Amino acid sequence: MCGIVAYLGKKEAYPILIKGLERLEYRGYDSAGVALFNNGNLNLYKKQGKVANLVEFAKDKDTSGSLGIAHTRWATHGEPNDRNAHPHFSGNESIAIIHNGIIENYDVLKEELKKRGYVFKSDTDTEVLVHLIEDIQKSEGVKLSEAVRMALMNVTGAYAICVISKDDPNTLVAARKSSPLVVGIGRENDFYLASDATPIIEYTNKVVYLDDEEIAVVNLEKGLKIYSLQDEEKTPYVQELEMQLEALEKGGYEHFMLKEIHEQPRSINDCFRGRLNSVEGWVELGGIKEFEKKFTKAKRIVMVACGTSWHACLVGEYLFEDLARINVEVEYASEFRYRNPIIEEGDIVIAVSQSGETADTLAALELAKSKGAIILGICNVVGSSISRITHAGSYTHAGPEIGVASTKAFTAQVTVLTLMALSIAKKKGTISESKFRTMLAELEAIPAKVSEVLKTNDLIEKISAQYKDASNALYLGRGSSFPVALEGALKLKEISYIHAEGYPAAEMKHGPIALIDDEMPVFVVATEGPSYEKVVSNIQEVKARKGKIIAVVTEGDTQVREMADSVIEIPATDEHLVPLLATIPFQLLSYHIAVMRGCNVDQPRNLAKSVTVE
Ligand code: G6P
């Protein structure tokens, strides 16, 4: 939530900052702004709305300078307007700040600063921090980095900040706590700072991920120095980025979401590549190998996540319980963290998160860790906060996901959970050798089957045209297709703003059936498997009330075809793997409906991809 980017070097900062903001726009798009140092002045331009508005606003202004900070906002404190947009100036306009996070004690600090004569120009929590820095600099006579450090000692909350001062144009000061920040070390004695590595990748692959309560001081003469909040100098740990630039571009697709949906054959393949072999009969997740024994002894696994990742956990619950015979509880991270949860010795807590930065998931993990649990992570973003605080974990290797609505990350998360469940089931002996090998072979076949499902795109586009004006929709599924129904409904809500609900098919008669009339589309997963006949009965119940049935069925199905208004066929697979296929028609459906309704598919209103506030 909120994207920050900063540059210090010899190049023109503005184009670098704007490109960086465009890359980070998935983190929020309520407003955008930039502050640039030039000729002894800090020039500040900010505008409500997307980065494009800022570019339009700044087009005839002085945007030169080789030191700058820029921000794209997801509003928390204060309306999304020009005034509340970042950067924010200190009282005498000599210091500018950008901030991602929330200063929780801003109220108290604001009152004190007001008493000392500071006038606030915005309703944000951030402005408090920049006044405080100026105040400390004045009263203590210290340099910028020291004033930032002292100010941070007085705040509680979450922050990733970058601060510049016109009195020290060779320096950029940054710090983080609970919100991400990466420092890129350029090839020409220049430095790039950003919320994630995407704005940095084309300039350098050498990065340092800041840790919590670390301050980075970047200086043109002294280079990068890192300090703790207690002022101890630390040695920067320089890592090499493996991200490819093409992964950050639309590659000929109209939207990132469509590209990411179509990437799934590859992303699922990348996810299991080198981790399984159906011929030799093994599966191995290197990241969690040292915890396998603990897994086999575990009485309980708790999975914590938010949004789409929470749905992946629900699929994981079926996998672990059925294959590895371990009791699983799936928790919304935001609920878990405030419930004084019972964690017993040997419990394993797994966090699933695309970004690896979701504030509630991170806090839930910290809580579980403090109670003695083994904490593992399944993340997509390499080097993310969750991946760094966990004891161990597995990356999903889906590649950068830019569309705010998650698609390929979901199928990659389900793939990792499948691999994990299979490897533990094998170790525990709760799966037969033949079932194990069949499942491995089925998993290897999934990418090709996903490609088959993607061929239904034109049919799905036609179906979408029929239901694009619906005001409500129901999604039904049983077993591990129930989370698919939840995910289908979430996708439709997120990007087309149609109210939709996912339900276990049999639960429909305990309420939602009252909503069914001849205008209500009901999307059902009715694939082959133990509950097929039961789902058929649920379809009959909808038909009897004249609801419209759009069913995802197994190739060759005839029974549901006769009852449904439309069917979308997917190839047959093992019932545990159905979510990997059945979810794709629903992704495409939401995409087409959103496009037909004129919605902004990649950046739906009010949402952000990386939710770093609770
Ligand atoms: C936001 C995003 C969702 C995502 C959720 C959890 O709400 O819009 O797409 O599923 O956060 O994010 P995470 O990065 O933890 O998977």
Side-chain angles (χ1 to χ4, degrees):
M1 275 192 168
C2 298
I4 63 179
V5 53
Y7 175 77
L8 171 63
K10 303 234 156 45
K11 297 181 198 150
E12 277 299 293
Y14 184 70
I16 296 170
L17 297 176
I18 293 297
K19 203 170 193 186
L21 286 186
E22 283 164 353
R23 294 256 164 86
L24 293 175
E25 218 169 12
Y26 73 87
R27 302 178 67 87
Y29 25 85
D30 287 333
S31 62
V34 57
L36 295 149
F37 176 81
N38 190 29
N39 268 339
N41 283 319
L42 280 179
N43 293 321
L44 181 73
Y45 310 118
K46 46 192 199 174
K47 223 45 218 147
Q48 181 179 347
K50 305 221 156 154
V51 178
N53 292 8
L54 170 68
V55 172
E56 180 57 31
F57 175 69
K59 76 172 187 253
D60 44 12
K61 314 239 171 356
D62 174 12
T63 54
S64 31
S66 304
L67 167 66
I69 56 178
H71 186 273
T72 178
R73 177 168 187 244
W74 188 88
T76 57
H77 293 60
E79 266 179 56
N81 54 25
D82 293 355
R83 215 163 50 83
N84 290 329
H86 298 217
H88 292 285
F89 266 149
S90 64
N92 63 12
E93 304 199 346
S94 67
I95 304 172
I97 192 170
I98 46 173
H99 170 219
N100 164 211
I102 290 181
I103 305 300
E104 283 166 9
N105 59 338
Y106 81 100
D107 250 357
V108 187
L109 295 171
K110 192 169 180 174
E111 285 317 307
E112 275 177 31
L113 287 159
K114 273 187 181 166
K115 278 187 211 146
R116 270 181 261 163
Y118 287 88
V119 178
F120 283 77
K121 296 191 182 124
S122 78
D123 311 314
T124 64
D125 50 331
T126 305
E127 199 185 343
V128 168
L129 195 48
V130 72
H131 289 314
L132 187 60
I133 294 168
E134 183 195 301
D135 194 58
I136 292 172
Q137 249 201 316
K138 275 192 200 152
S139 58
E140 305 289 325
V142 290
K143 57 186 180 181
L144 182 68
S145 57
E146 181 57 8
V148 170
R149 190 185 74 77
M150 290 169 75
L152 291 176
M153 296 292 276
N154 286 291
V155 305
T156 52
Y159 52 78
I161 54 167
C162 291
V163 186
I164 55 175
S165 164
K166 66 177 173 191
D167 300 327
D168 191 359
N170 284 341
T171 303
L172 205 165
V173 182
R176 78 155 268 178
K177 184 181 177 197
S178 303
S179 295
L181 195 58
V182 191
V183 184
I185 303 170
R187 300 179 187 101
E188 300 161 38
N189 188 33
D190 51 359
F191 300 90
Y192 304 79
L193 286 85
S195 300
D196 71 27
T198 58
I200 297 176
I201 180 73
E202 59 223 83
Y203 310 108
T204 176
N205 63 352
K206 294 214 165 10
V207 293
V208 176
Y209 290 93
L210 283 199
D211 269 328
D212 269 354
E213 305 202 330
E214 281 186 349
I215 301 175
V217 183
V218 177
N219 181 278
L220 279 185
E221 280 125 41
K222 297 182 191 143
L224 168 68
K225 303 260 185 210
I226 294 189
Y227 302 91
S228 70
L229 264 193
Q230 288 67 37
D231 208 18
E232 292 139 6
E233 187 165 352
K234 295 179 150 190
T235 313
Y237 172 50
V238 183
Q239 285 177 260
E240 283 215 358
L241 281 177
E242 280 173 16
M243 198 182 285
Q244 302 300 322
L245 193 54
E246 307 82 72
L248 306 176
E249 278 151 11
K250 285 192 194 141
Y253 286 93
E254 207 175 323
H255 298 100
F256 279 111
M257 182 182 179
L258 190 61
K259 177 190 173 217
E260 286 155 9
I261 291 172
H262 279 87
E263 273 175 352
Q264 289 174 106
R266 186 202 50 73
S267 55
I268 295 174
N269 198 64
D270 285 350
C271 181
F272 66 61
R273 192 151 33 100
R275 289 169 162 178
L276 71 85
N277 188 316
S278 63
V279 180
E280 293 168 15
W282 57 262
V283 50
E284 193 173 290
L285 283 164
I288 58 151
K289 206 166 164 37
E290 57 172 312
F291 288 92
E292 272 176 352
K293 234 194 202 127
K294 298 231 160 71
F295 255 117
T296 55
K297 291 199 182 121
K299 292 212 171 51
R300 195 171 73 129
I301 295 173
V302 181
M303 296 189 186
V304 290
C306 303
T308 290
S309 301
W310 186 79
H311 296 153
C313 293
L314 290 179
V315 179
E317 180 177 16
Y318 288 91
L319 289 160
F320 271 93
E321 292 200 347
D322 195 31
L323 301 174
R325 308 303 296 149
I326 306 176
N327 178 19
V328 176
E329 280 171 36
V330 177
E331 299 268 4
Y332 283 115
S334 54
E335 290 295 313
F336 178 84
R337 60 181 288 200
Y338 287 116
R339 223 192 36 234
N340 192 13
I342 299 164
I343 301 283
E344 287 173 354
E345 212 193 319
D347 280 354
I348 295 179
V349 176
I350 305 179
V352 178
S353 173
Q354 188 286 130
S355 61
E357 301 293 348
T358 303
D360 281 321
T361 312
L362 201 52
L365 270 187
E366 275 159 358
L367 176 70
K369 196 179 195 178
S370 72
K371 286 176 177 269
I374 298 157
I375 57 166
L376 305 178
I378 298 178
C379 298
N380 192 37
V381 177
V382 177
S384 54
S385 301
I386 291 177
S387 67
R388 284 182 300 137
I389 70 156
T390 42
H391 293 119
S394 296
Y395 284 118
T396 48
H397 299 307
E401 190 181 64
I402 314 280
V404 165
S406 187
T407 52
K408 64 174 179 172
F410 174 76
T411 46
Q413 289 164 344
V414 171
T415 305
V416 171
L417 287 162
T418 309
L419 294 171
M420 250 185 209
L422 279 170
S423 88
I424 305 307
K426 182 81 196 306
K427 290 271 159 348
K428 279 186 78 173
T430 49
I431 189 169
S432 70
E433 186 63 26
S434 68
K435 170 82 181 165
F436 179 69
R437 286 194 180 235
T438 313
M439 279 201 69
L440 290 188
E442 279 297 331
L443 196 51
E444 279 180 328
I446 285 290
K449 290 184 182 181
V450 171
S451 299
E452 285 303 305
V453 182
L454 290 170
K455 289 183 189 156
T456 60
N457 181 55
D458 292 353
L459 166 68
I460 294 174
E461 197 171 351
K462 283 195 194 114
I463 297 173
S464 305
Q466 287 173 49
Y467 300 106
K468 70 175 179 23
D469 297 319
S471 8
N472 296 292
L474 205 54
Y475 285 72
L476 304 176
R478 290 182 91 119
S480 59
S481 291
F482 160 51
V484 172
L486 289 175
E487 177 58 11
L490 178 63
K491 284 288 88 80
L492 193 68
K493 276 184 274 209
E494 278 180 312
I495 60 169
S496 72
Y497 319 140
I498 295 175
H499 168 243
E501 293 196 46
Y503 257 88
E507 272 294 304
M508 180 191 59
K509 49 186 162 306
H510 299 289
I513 200 163
L515 300 171
I516 293 174
D517 58 19
D518 58 1
E519 300 212 328
M520 170 76 111
V522 182
F523 300 95
V524 190
V525 182
T527 47
E528 271 170 11
S531 48
Y532 177 75
E533 291 302 336
K534 305 249 182 254
V535 176
V536 169
S537 306
N538 300 136
I539 291 176
Q540 302 276 24
E541 290 156 14
V542 174
K543 275 321 296 173
R545 275 118 193 130
K546 301 200 166 47
K548 301 275 182 287
I549 292 284
I550 306 93
V552 174
V553 298
T554 311
E555 239 161 34
D557 178 285
T558 51
Q559 201 178 346
V560 172
R561 186 175 282 275
E562 277 172 21
M563 290 180 264
D565 294 272
S566 306
V567 293
I568 303 157
E569 291 192 335
I570 61 172
T573 187
D574 182 278
E575 56 159 316
H576 289 101
L577 305 179
V578 166
L580 290 171
L581 302 181
T583 202
I584 287 160
F586 291 162
Q587 295 172 347
L588 285 168
L589 190 104
S590 307
Y591 171 78
H592 288 301
I593 290 183
V595 170
M596 287 169 196
R597 287 166 70 94
C599 301
N600 187 331
V601 174
D602 284 335
Q603 293 170 350
R605 70 181 178 210
N606 304 339
L607 297 179
K609 191 153 187 70
S610 185
V611 183
T612 53
V613 295
E614 62 173 283

